[in-house]
Each structure stands twice: as C-alpha cells, then as structure tokens.
Amino acid sequence: MTNNIERPISEFNNELKLKGFNVFQIEKDGNATKIYSRKDFYKICLTTGKSIIHYSDRSFEADDTILFFGNPHIPYSWETLSTRYVGYTCLFSEDFLKQSERSDSLQQSPLFKLGGTPILKINENQREFLNGIFTKMIEEQQSDYVFKDDLIRNYIQLILHEAMKLQPSENYDQHNNAASRLTSVFLELLERQFPIETSDKPLQLKTAQDYANNLSVHVNYLNRAIKDVTGKPTTTHITERILSESRALLQHTNWNISEIAYSLGFDYPTYFNNFFKKQTGTNPKAFRNLGV
C-alpha cells in the first residue's frame, strides 16, 4: 500500500494527539468517558469512589481514593460502581514526556510495568496534595504561558516520584475468578485494536492465537475462559468487532475497498469481500452504496 489515509476519530482524540497531553476533572466533565486512542497514551487517575479495575491478569477493588497508572501496552478495564465518582484524569504520550531530560523514570518506574504496582491507596493528606498538582496542571493547560508544557511535564514527574514513595496496594485478585479476569482483559485488548485510524497499518491481532500469545496464555485456555464467561467463542468476539469496524470504515471514510481490507488485516480484497458477505449477506460495495 502506498497511500497513508488517516481517519478522523474524535475532536478530543485529534487535540490529544496534537498536544500529547490532556488533564481534566472527572466530576466536572459532562462526558467523563472521552473517546481517544488508548493504545497511544499513558494514563494517571486520581479517583474517589467504588470501582473494580482489571489490569493485565489481576483485579483490584477500591472503595476509597486511589491513584492509578495505565500503560497503553498493557490491557486494563475499569468498572465504576459508585453513583458519584470524582477525581482527575491525566493523559499523555511517551513522546510528550520524552522531551524532558528526566523521562527515564517513566520506563524504569514499576508503576507502568507489567507485574508492577499500578494502583496505590491514597490517604486524605496525600489526596489533598495530589489534588493540588492536578489543579495546577489544569490551570497551566488553560494558560498562555510559553513554557507550560515543560511545567506540566514537571508536575507529571512529581506525581510519579510521590507515587514511588508510597506502598503499593496488595488487594489484588479479590474480586473475580481467573476466567473472568482473563475475559475482561481480552475484551479490553480487543477493543484497544480499534478504531482503525490509518489505512497503511493493518490490524495486528486477528486470531484467537494472536490474542493468546499477547496475553501469554494457551489458546485453549483462552477459548475455554471466554466461552465460559460470555457464552460466545473467542473467534466470535473478534469477528463481531472486525465486522463492526468494517461497517464504520465503509460508512465514514472514503477509503476504497482494498484499503479497508488491508487496514483490517485481510491479505486480499476478495478475502474481505467473502468475510463481509458471509456475515451480512451483502458485499462491502453494496453496503456502502445503501448508506446504511
């Protein structure tokens, strides 16, 4: 493929990619679940409320204030149980932080490593201190200060160092059984492959074996867990998500059928045509022409 056609995802995602950073207050945000490409950004959340977080192959149940560190390369999912959930979220790219001379702490920090300690319990004094840092980041984000990015990077580094001084929470694996946890991170990893933003980079994880390899489990174990928990085979989940994305690409981009087929991981357009017709009863061109 010689073309590199980008697909607009959302205004928030476009702004986030442009700046490499965004921070917002959850309780004041009318749409706290913002749409962005999670595979590109690290995430730090300071939240108060009841929730369950699935991170890689572990689960954590929180009923107070926690500080969470999300790595774009490690699947995680979040279940909010409280009717009122408050706090702050900070999103940033690795390139944004790399502009700091002290960015090595991101790669070396156990906060973002697989098998590390991504969730910390926060007491009231710590919460007030961290609230102040997030508030300052929001103020700088909205300011006209020429060097505000440098200042924001310093605030992120301060949060990282404060967190590394704290003891990690040990309240893991207290919520769901192994099959439920594995299913949760599989579904998160599946969703993380989308949306497709450019036509020249094909989908990497296409089969149950691909996902099993990525999650470091045997494919038979993955299939059994997914089927037991959801009632549907792993391949069905993958097929349904690829089909959903193919419909979106046909409806909302001007990419030709070959470009769409390639972006979804099909070696040849005929393979994509056969897949789409088997699932929908019509071919991609006819579906696009209908404007469904």
Side-chain angles (χ1 to χ4, degrees):
M1 299 293 292
T2 57
N3 293 334
N4 181 6
I5 305 174
E6 293 190 356
R7 169 194 180 192
I9 300 304
S10 71
E11 184 176 343
F12 177 78
N13 187 75
N14 292 337
E15 182 180 355
L16 183 58
K17 290 183 72 174
L18 180 65
K19 295 181 178 179
F21 170 84
N22 191 277
V23 60
F24 54 93
Q25 190 171 2
I26 297 172
E27 59 192 333
K28 290 188 176 181
D29 182 46
N31 184 20
T33 304
K34 292 180 177 290
I35 300 173
Y36 67 96
S37 181
R38 293 177 61 173
K39 59 190 175 186
D40 296 328
F41 299 97
Y42 288 82
K43 182 177 186 176
I44 302 176
C45 289
L46 177 68
T47 60
T48 301
K50 190 171 184 179
S51 63
I52 298 171
I53 302 168
H54 307 290
Y55 185 89
S56 185
D57 62 346
R58 295 176 290 173
S59 293
F60 173 82
E61 186 167 354
D63 197 12
D64 207 339
T65 300
I66 60 165
L67 189 61
F68 170 79
F69 298 86
N71 184 330
H73 309 297
I74 300 174
Y76 62 87
S77 62
W78 198 304
E79 299 177 43
T80 301
L81 305 180
S82 300
T83 54
R84 185 168 183 267
Y85 206 74
V86 299
Y88 298 88
T89 295
C90 169
L91 303 168
F92 59 92
S93 67
E94 188 168 351
D95 287 342
F96 177 83
L97 207 64
K98 272 185 175 178
Q99 296 180 46
S100 166
E101 294 179 356
R102 296 173 294 168
S103 64
D104 284 348
S105 61
L106 176 64
Q107 287 76 31
Q108 300 303 320
S109 168
L111 300 168
F112 289 107
K113 285 184 176 180
L114 181 63
T117 55
I119 302 165
L120 306 173
K121 287 184 176 179
I122 302 299
N123 63 35
E124 183 60 24
N125 288 336
Q126 293 163 343
R127 186 187 69 80
E128 290 181 2
F129 176 75
L130 291 168
N131 275 352
I133 297 177
F134 277 98
T135 299
K136 288 180 181 297
M137 283 197 289
I138 291 175
E139 291 174 355
E140 293 303 330
Q141 178 176 254
Q142 298 170 345
S143 77
D144 296 324
Y145 180 50
V146 176
F147 302 108
K148 65 180 181 180
D149 284 358
D150 291 333
L151 192 51
I152 287 170
R153 279 188 279 268
N154 287 336
Y155 285 135
I156 293 175
Q157 292 286 353
L158 180 57
I159 293 174
L160 293 176
H161 286 290
E162 286 297 321
M164 285 190 285
K165 293 191 295 184
L166 303 176
Q167 290 296 316
S169 171
E170 300 298 333
N171 189 25
Y172 285 106
D173 299 323
Q174 308 245 329
H175 174 58
N176 287 340
N177 59 35
S180 295
R181 292 196 305 272
L182 181 59
T183 299
S184 178
V185 294
F186 160 74
L187 292 173
E188 170 61 25
L189 183 58
L190 173 62
E191 188 59 34
R192 200 173 280 244
Q193 308 312 305
F194 305 94
I196 303 294
E197 297 181 60
T198 180
S199 63
D200 71 335
K201 294 179 182 178
L203 191 65
Q204 295 299 304
L205 303 182
K206 298 174 286 186
T207 68
Q209 185 65 64
D210 292 338
Y211 283 90
N213 292 342
N214 194 277
L215 295 169
S216 300
V217 297
H218 194 281
V219 66
N220 291 343
Y221 177 66
L222 176 65
N223 287 333
R224 188 164 55 249
I226 301 301
K227 183 67 179 295
D228 287 347
V229 174
T230 69
K232 295 192 295 187
T234 311
T235 52
T236 299
H237 287 282
I238 298 171
T239 295
E240 289 177 348
R241 190 59 185 87
I242 292 176
L243 179 62
S244 173
E245 189 69 7
S246 68
R247 284 174 167 149
L249 291 172
L250 288 166
Q251 291 175 328
H252 304 301
T253 75
N254 61 358
W255 302 354
N256 62 45
I257 304 301
S258 295
E259 289 167 338
I260 292 175
Y262 183 80
S263 72
L264 291 171
F266 293 91
D267 294 331
Y268 302 100
T270 52
Y271 291 177
F272 172 58
N273 285 336
N274 292 339
F275 164 83
F276 195 88
K277 188 167 186 178
K278 180 180 178 181
Q279 300 300 322
T280 67
T282 188
N283 61 53
K285 184 178 180 180
F287 177 85
R288 169 174 273 175
N289 291 338
L290 286 172
V292 179

